[in-house]
Amino acid sequence: LPKMKPGRQRGKAVIVPYSLPITFQVQGGRQNKKVIRKYFSEGLQKAKENNHKAAIELYTKSIKNDRYFDLAYNARGASKFQLKDYRGSIIDLTKAIMLYPEYAEAYFNRALSKAYLSDNEGACTDAKQAEKLGYDSKKLISAICPEATQVR
């Protein structure tokens, strides 16, 4: 093999792509999980009390501490739906589905939001996916899907 010098080829300087390893460390550990779950549980309680603005604030605190918390995105999306923020609801529910593609309830909730925005095609697709994943969506499918056929 010829003698090689890094960054040079045939005596001329060349660009050499390289990468550096990056290590991430999760901070907080168990204590952080307790805080996240506390915010989430309190948010669920506020939603049960029909105080969706407070619920959204608590779900947001959970998400700020764990941006991969799919349950919090789904719950926040459901509360936004209750406040008639259908576009905001769809954003959160889409994030929940991105984090957990088998999240049937999130598909169902997103179908409702899409239906309220008159996106019946998108709502139908989501309702059928929810049904396929095991969430009972037959009534919604028959209400919004033009063909109202069986889910395969």
Side-chain angles (χ1 to χ4, degrees):
L1 290 174
K3 209 171 201 183
M4 300 177 74
K5 289 185 180 181
R8 299 194 82 61
Q9 185 174 5
R10 295 187 183 113
K12 296 181 182 178
V14 294
I15 297 174
V16 179
Y18 64 94
S19 62
L20 298 173
I22 299 174
T23 306
F24 294 94
Q25 183 176 7
V26 177
Q27 296 179 353
R30 275 190 219 160
Q31 188 63 29
N32 197 32
K33 284 186 179 184
K34 286 182 182 179
V35 170
I36 293 165
R37 297 234 181 256
K38 177 182 173 279
Y39 288 139
F40 181 70
S41 295
E42 289 174 6
L44 291 175
Q45 185 58 43
K46 292 294 181 185
K48 283 182 187 176
E49 296 166 3
N50 212 26
N51 186 351
H52 292 285
K53 284 187 180 185
I56 289 169
E57 289 176 18
L58 290 161
Y59 298 141
T60 300
K61 287 181 180 182
S62 284
I63 291 166
K64 282 184 180 178
N65 284 286
D66 181 0
R67 63 183 183 173
Y68 301 106
F69 194 8
D70 57 329
L71 296 173
Y73 282 105
N74 181 60
R76 190 171 73 175
S79 282
K80 286 180 179 181
F81 174 85
Q82 293 298 323
L83 295 176
K84 297 180 178 20
D85 177 8
Y86 305 122
R87 293 188 196 290
S89 174
I90 289 170
I91 290 168
D92 280 345
L93 295 165
T94 299
K95 181 68 175 183
I97 292 166
M98 286 172 55
L99 292 170
Y100 181 47
E102 309 273 314
Y103 202 164
E105 183 180 352
Y107 279 103
F108 181 83
N109 290 339
R110 190 171 72 173
L112 290 174
S113 291
K114 287 180 176 182
Y116 272 84
L117 290 174
S118 299
D119 176 8
N120 286 350
E121 184 178 333
C124 182
T125 300
D126 281 352
K128 286 180 178 180
Q129 184 64 21
E131 181 73 28
K132 183 178 175 184
L133 292 170
Y135 198 90
D136 186 8
S137 307
K138 290 177 188 74
K139 287 183 184 178
L140 182 59
I141 291 169
S142 66
I144 61 171
C145 298
E147 71 279 359
T149 59
Q150 289 281 337
V151 177
R152 294 179 187 141

